Amino acid sequence: MSGRREPVPFAFVAEADRFRSNVTPPPRERASVGQMAGRWLLGLTLVAGLVGSLVIGMPSLSTGPSGADTQRSQASDGR
C-alpha cells in the first residue's frame, strides 16, 4: 500500500451549516373535534384515576394511634 492519499475537499461540510432548503414541509393537519374530545377524555380519566388512588390509599398511609394499639395479636398477649 502506498502512503499517499488523495486530498478530500471538505468545503461541502462548511457549506452544510449555511445551507437552507427552499422546500417547506406541508402544514400540519388540525385535529378534529372527535380527536380533541378523545384526548381530553383520556387526560381526565388518567387524572381521575390518580386522584382516586390517592383518596383510597390515604387511610392506609396515615399513621395514628388507632392503628398499632387496637390490633394486637394473641401471641403478643402471651396466650
Side-chain angles (χ1 to χ4, degrees):
M1 297 293 294
S2 66
R4 181 178 165 205
R5 294 185 172 186
E6 294 187 24
V8 178
F10 287 104
F12 65 91
V13 176
E15 291 177 7
D17 293 336
R18 296 182 305 230
F19 180 73
R20 283 190 164 299
S21 176
N22 60 356
V23 178
T24 58
R28 293 181 62 183
E29 294 182 16
R30 296 192 66 139
S32 67
V33 176
Q35 289 175 337
M36 291 293 288
R39 290 176 187 168
W40 273 97
L41 185 62
L42 179 65
L44 286 175
T45 304
L46 291 173
V47 169
L50 290 172
V51 169
S53 66
L54 280 174
V55 168
I56 292 173
M58 284 304 281
S60 64
L61 294 175
S62 65
T63 57
S66 63
D69 292 338
T70 58
Q71 295 182 354
R72 301 176 89 191
S73 66
Q74 291 179 356
S76 64
D77 291 338
R79 293 182 189 178

